[in-house]
Amino acid sequence: MFCARCDKPLKGNFDTIENPGESGSGGTVQVCTVWCKPKPRQSAPAERR
């Protein structure tokens, strides 16, 4: 199982939080018990064509 924030493997204890989601379907995700740095996300196109 992996942390939904940092994408690192969860070992031992973890927290479960509610994730409402864009579609409203919701769900629960597992995250580290301590605040972890989110994995990098692409926010703009890599190159312009």
Side-chain angles (χ1 to χ4, degrees), residues 3-7 35-41:
C3 175
R5 279 191 214 119
C6 65
D7 206 29
W35 187 260
C36 51
K37 185 176 181 181
K39 61 185 174 184
R41 294 193 174 115

Side-chain angles (χ1 to χ4, degrees), residues 5-25:
R5 279 191 214 119
C6 65
D7 206 29
K8 292 183 182 174
L10 292 170
K11 298 177 184 172
N13 297 335
F14 56 86
D15 288 337
T16 303
I17 59 172
E18 293 290 325
N19 183 13
E22 291 289 324
S23 64
S25 61

